[in-house]
Amino acid sequence: WQEIVDGQSVPAGLEIVLDMSGKGKRGRIPPQWQLQIWIAGARRFLRLAVKPSTLIRDITTEAAQLANVAPECASLVRRVSKSATGTAKAPAATGVVVDGAMSASEARLFEAHSDRTLDLRLDPTCRVLREKEVGSEAEEAPQGHSEERASRLALAPPAGGNHGDR
């Protein structure tokens, strides 16, 4: 808990406790909060309950499943504005990939989420796996479950660097 002074702005979703004696307010990041990020490549939101110990790789894996891509095709990126980079030649909004081994707390995910400086990006070179590439998984699926099997087919990075099969 940290003290909040009058007039201080606080991130949306912060837990705030008012002292009933009128001596002030305290705030903290909740023990669990709702992450909501737009996945442009999938044209949908990822909504996920996050704790301080949640790993970034778990978030990108959830995003990949939602977007029907392989986990290595999704990354969490913290946008950096041109003014923050100090470089006039930098694009208006560049990004830094957040390390998948970091926890939400280490990555200061709550603050970045509140500032809306996070993006979930999908690798545009990922391609659809063909049924024969899925292999035994496709053969093991019982008949009549073709929709379920199709929903498990994922996008994967291109083999051998050939980007022609998108």
Side-chain angles (χ1 to χ4, degrees), residues 123-134:
D123 183 345
T125 63
C126 289
R127 61 182 177 79
V128 176
L129 288 175
R130 289 164 181 75
E131 208 165 315
K132 66 181 179 182
E133 292 176 288
V134 176

Side-chain angles (χ1 to χ4, degrees), residues 8-85:
Q8 179 180 357
S9 66
V10 295
L14 197 69
E15 282 186 4
I16 298 174
V17 175
L18 301 173
D19 184 344
M20 297 308 283
S21 67
K23 293 182 180 177
K25 302 178 260 191
R26 294 179 301 148
R28 72 173 184 174
I29 296 171
Q32 181 172 311
W33 52 277
Q34 182 82 5
L35 174 67
Q36 177 176 302
I37 300 180
W38 179 252
I39 308 171
R43 297 186 314 182
R44 61 191 315 176
F45 280 101
L46 168 69
R47 292 177 180 92
L48 186 65
V50 174
K51 296 179 180 179
S53 60
T54 301
L55 296 179
I56 301 301
R57 89 169 52 91
D58 295 336
I59 295 168
T60 56
T61 299
E62 287 290 327
Q65 289 176 352
L66 187 65
N68 201 26
V69 298
E72 58 272 11
C73 293
S75 57
L76 186 65
V77 177
R78 185 182 305 266
R79 284 190 307 275
V80 180
S81 69
K82 180 168 63 173
S83 59
T85 63

